[in-house]
Amino acid sequence: MAMEETGRRKVLVEASVEQATTLTAELVKSIICESIGTKKSCNIALAGGTTPHGLYQRLAATVASGEVPWGQVCVFFSDERDVPHDDIESNYRMAQRTLLDHVPILPTQVYPIRSDREDLDSAAGEYEKIILEKVPAEAGSIPTFDLILLGMGGDGHIASVFPNTEAMEETKKMVMAYSVPVLGRKRITLTLPVINAANNVLLFVTGQDKSNAVANLLNDDPEARKNLPAARVAPKGNFFIVLDNAAARQAGLRAE
Ligand code: 6PG
């Protein structure tokens, strides 16, 4: 493993996707156990997309060991597509099939974003109310997730905060629904204020196609970072960036 530490940000590189997935699973387990050890509770938000498939399957596989006290974990979502929960594109469906159906967690501990609603704006407002009710604010007024998992697109988007969009500039709402021009679709997403209030943010990125965005993210050049949503992630707590060699290549990082 290669590591680069800058303040609360730790960049961790493993040679292969499998090794990066193992490292990420270990980090997730230790963050959950640490939170439950100190607060008897843990509020996490899951990333969508395809990168976390292997991670969630790995976490599900540990259930026999009892390493993770899932009964004390509440699961939220970092973002959701404008599809019903049984749609193949649904982040909720993906998490259900790879993780939630395989761990001892009650449906009452899982808070899907109601993307099956006609009115996504009201679904976003409803989700914000649920977060305000269920996730305590530890310092200041913004609910403090113990862990927010994120992936990153090749354009540097995180959750559904896309470049050149109103979501990049949102400073008040914690959850917003908006039309994403590059997708021609609506998305519902956690916003940067609530992401940056988290005790731990874990950005898990693999693959050659993300290498340019990773290099811009890790680059100190403000120009390279200017319109990169991932560069706006600066959590109050720990910021872990876990990469495989393919994603880290253009940033000049490599694990042997
Ligand atoms: C989503 C995700 C999104 C994802 C990136 C990377 O709903 O798609 O929340 O932010 O993490 O697009 O997606 P992949 O993991 O599929 O490359």
Side-chain angles (χ1 to χ4, degrees):
M1 175 177 75
M3 184 168 92
E4 191 185 75
E5 198 161 350
T6 325
R8 301 297 295 260
R9 189 184 82 178
K10 267 200 187 79
V11 181
L12 305 162
V13 185
E14 288 287 6
S16 69
V17 176
E18 292 66 33
Q19 288 165 306
T21 302
T22 300
L23 174 59
T24 306
E26 289 308 312
L27 275 171
V28 170
K29 286 189 290 187
S30 63
I31 289 167
I32 291 175
C33 292
E34 201 262 327
S35 172
I36 288 171
T38 52
K39 298 187 295 185
K40 304 277 176 280
S41 68
C42 183
N43 293 303
I44 67 174
L46 296 180
T50 56
T51 303
H53 285 194
L55 168 64
Y56 297 162
Q57 287 165 337
R58 190 71 62 84
L59 289 170
T62 65
V63 75
S65 67
E67 288 168 85
V68 178
W70 290 103
Q72 292 166 279
V73 178
C74 285
V75 173
F76 297 77
F77 293 81
S78 301
D79 70 330
E80 190 53 279
R81 289 87 178 276
D82 62 345
V83 294
H85 289 154
D86 58 359
D87 188 290
I88 193 159
E89 280 198 29
S90 162
N91 286 335
Y92 169 69
R93 178 183 182 274
M94 181 274 284
Q96 206 180 17
R97 289 175 181 238
T98 52
L99 176 62
L100 301 175
D101 284 351
H102 309 283
V103 294
I105 194 165
L106 298 172
T108 50
Q109 294 168 246
V110 181
Y111 299 92
I113 297 175
R114 299 309 318 211
S115 55
D116 43 348
R117 290 277 160 75
E118 201 48 43
D119 178 352
L120 293 185
D121 291 307
S122 78
E126 182 190 303
Y127 206 61
E128 179 156 325
K129 283 203 188 86
I130 291 171
I131 290 173
L132 281 164
E133 187 194 326
K134 303 289 181 187
V135 181
E138 286 174 9
S141 59
I142 302 181
T144 310
F145 279 94
D146 297 294
L147 171 62
I148 294 183
L149 275 171
L150 298 173
M152 184 173 74
D155 60 0
H157 79 260
I158 46 96
S160 283
V161 179
F162 282 80
N164 304 310
T165 67
E166 58 200 281
M168 283 273 278
E169 310 312 327
E170 180 57 49
T171 58
K172 297 269 178 301
K173 290 180 195 159
M174 293 187 288
V175 184
M176 69 186 285
Y178 74 110
S179 294
V180 182
V182 73
L183 301 179
R185 308 276 297 268
K186 287 194 97 166
R187 287 285 185 93
I188 298 181
T189 187
L190 295 188
T191 60
L192 288 162
V194 71
I195 290 169
N196 284 332
N199 285 327
N200 295 279
V201 173
L202 200 169
L203 177 65
F204 179 33
V205 187
T206 61
Q208 172 74 27
D209 59 325
K210 310 289 177 73
S211 183
N212 184 51
V214 168
N216 289 337
L217 172 62
L218 300 184
N219 192 321
D220 292 336
D221 167 16
E223 206 44 41
R225 293 165 54 88
K226 191 169 68 175
N227 196 26
L228 206 72
R232 306 277 175 98
V233 176
K236 165 179 69 68
N238 302 307
F239 185 19
F240 299 99
I241 301 174
V242 180
L243 309 169
D244 68 346
N245 275 348
R249 194 178 60 76
Q250 286 188 38
L253 295 172
R254 177 176 173 70
E256 290 316 314

